[in-house]
Amino acid sequence: MDQDSHCTAERELLEAVSRITTSSTTSPSDEEENEPKAEISCQVRKENPEKDDTQDSSATLSPNSSMTTKELQEYWRNEKRQCKQIKLLFEIPSTRIVEHHLSKYVMYKIIILQTGSFDSNKSIIERRYSDFEKLHRNLLEEFSEELEDVTFPKKTLTGNFTEEIINERKLAFKDYLRLLYSMKYIRRSKKFIDFLTRPELQEAYGCLRGGQYTKALEILLEVIGLQERLTRGNPVAIVPTLCAIVVCHKDLENPASAFEYGEKALSRLCVHTSHRYYMPLLETMIALAYELGKDFLSLQEKLEEWKTKKDPVRVFTLKELAVREYVR
């Protein structure tokens, strides 16, 4: 091999090594690279949430260049959490028979646990047979193929309140929930999430509309953890609940707690500034920051920036938006 050929080969080798080194230090691992993409593609293919309740149609996955360092850190923290799959376990340890006027039914106590967590992370709800039946009927409309081989416990004309039938259904419903949760598209579907959270949220918002802020706050704080775990791939979905908690704390004269939950909601909207809650939340946060002696100028700048980009339209206050949620 002559000298020129030798130099050329050596130079090509050095360039190849450089490319490999650069790639290994800057590229994410296969697992990190593929997991978020799977999360996003699943949402696009199988979910069709309402535009206002989820995300701005013009929003991208890139953080806004005008975000502060703290907001950027919170944004990437949320993005990182989205990539981690949370596994939930379902247990039905007990039941109770309810007699109400002319009706009689069995309530099944459902405990939802996060694997590897302490008892503080568990959620407890109650559902009756007709609730499970409605869920199954609704899921069949969208996931008939996935549920083709799933057997749902049928109603019986007699014996529905015998210990034997109740115990059989406890086991059947536990297996049913576990099976549904094991199916990626179903566990992310609005119908499945609504089954586990909507009754409690409806009760909470009913209390909020009635001025029972303490009771509403108690329920909202119970359900927010479960709602967050169920909607991990879509953090914007829990913004209405976070804002309802802000409203309750504010009306109960707990401005510090209201501001804390407002920051959590705002961090989820940093790239979704067309969301219907964005401007009302900013206005509330400015008022809270002023009351608490915090810096509100950056929030004020965001509000002014938003106003210059949007056509002047009637905007509800945060409380007015909250009381309109879950109105039957």
Side-chain angles (χ1 to χ4, degrees), residues 173-187:
F173 285 143
K174 181 178 73 171
D175 291 340
Y176 177 69
L177 290 174
R178 288 179 173 178
L179 181 60
L180 293 182
Y181 187 76
S182 70
M183 301 179 189
K184 182 169 60 177
Y185 297 142
I186 291 182
R187 73 167 173 262

Side-chain angles (χ1 to χ4, degrees), residues 67-83:
M67 292 162 59
T68 65
T69 301
K70 183 178 180 181
E71 288 172 336
L72 279 168
Q73 290 173 342
E74 182 62 25
Y75 174 84
W76 289 119
R77 204 175 293 125
N78 287 334
E79 288 294 311
K80 185 177 180 181
R81 281 199 294 262
Q82 289 178 46
C83 298

Side-chain angles (χ1 to χ4, degrees), residues 264-277:
K264 292 179 181 180
L266 205 55
S267 71
R268 287 162 170 78
L269 295 180
C270 57
V271 292
H272 304 286
T273 57
S274 291
H275 195 283
R276 62 199 173 98
Y277 270 88

Side-chain angles (χ1 to χ4, degrees), residues 95-148:
T95 60
R96 62 187 179 95
I97 297 176
V98 178
E99 296 191 51
H100 184 69
H101 297 304
L102 300 177
S103 63
K104 183 179 180 181
Y105 52 87
V106 179
M107 293 293 290
Y108 296 85
K109 180 180 179 179
I110 306 168
I111 297 180
I112 306 163
L113 292 163
Q114 181 177 326
T115 56
S117 67
F118 296 103
D119 288 345
S120 59
N121 289 325
K122 70 181 178 183
S123 299
I124 301 175
I125 59 176
E126 283 189 317
R127 298 293 183 266
R128 53 188 292 189
Y129 180 93
S130 59
D131 295 324
F132 282 97
E133 190 177 39
K134 181 180 178 181
L135 169 66
H136 191 67
R137 189 167 58 249
N138 289 339
L139 289 176
L140 282 174
E141 295 175 0
E142 188 176 356
F143 304 103
S144 57
E145 291 184 11
E146 289 86 343
L147 299 174
E148 186 177 4

Side-chain angles (χ1 to χ4, degrees), residues 208-222:
L208 192 156
R209 284 189 288 273
Q212 298 175 281
Y213 302 114
T214 301
K215 179 63 175 177
L217 182 60
E218 179 185 337
I219 300 171
L220 289 168
L221 292 176
E222 283 286 331

Side-chain angles (χ1 to χ4, degrees), residues 175-290:
D175 291 340
Y176 177 69
L177 290 174
R178 288 179 173 178
L179 181 60
L180 293 182
Y181 187 76
S182 70
M183 301 179 189
K184 182 169 60 177
Y185 297 142
I186 291 182
R187 73 167 173 262
R188 292 173 179 166
S189 71
K190 187 176 185 300
K191 293 173 181 178
F192 181 67
I193 294 170
D194 278 353
F195 168 78
L196 296 171
T197 61
R198 190 177 181 89
E200 286 72 25
L201 288 171
Q202 285 179 326
E203 182 183 359
Y205 278 96
C207 292
L208 192 156
R209 284 189 288 273
Q212 298 175 281
Y213 302 114
T214 301
K215 179 63 175 177
L217 182 60
E218 179 185 337
I219 300 171
L220 289 168
L221 292 176
E222 283 286 331
V223 76
I224 187 66
L226 174 60
Q227 192 182 23
E228 184 174 17
R229 293 194 292 272
L230 289 168
T231 59
R232 181 54 64 97
N234 180 20
V236 181
I238 68 167
V239 165
T241 307
L242 288 171
C243 288
I245 293 174
V246 172
V247 169
C248 290
H249 274 306
K250 190 172 183 295
D251 279 25
L252 289 170
E253 299 182 357
N254 299 325
S257 297
F259 192 84
E260 176 189 347
Y261 279 92
E263 284 188 314
K264 292 179 181 180
L266 205 55
S267 71
R268 287 162 170 78
L269 295 180
C270 57
V271 292
H272 304 286
T273 57
S274 291
H275 195 283
R276 62 199 173 98
Y277 270 88
Y278 183 71
M279 183 179 174
L281 178 59
L282 270 179
E283 290 178 331
T284 300
M285 290 296 285
I286 291 169
L288 288 169
Y290 181 81

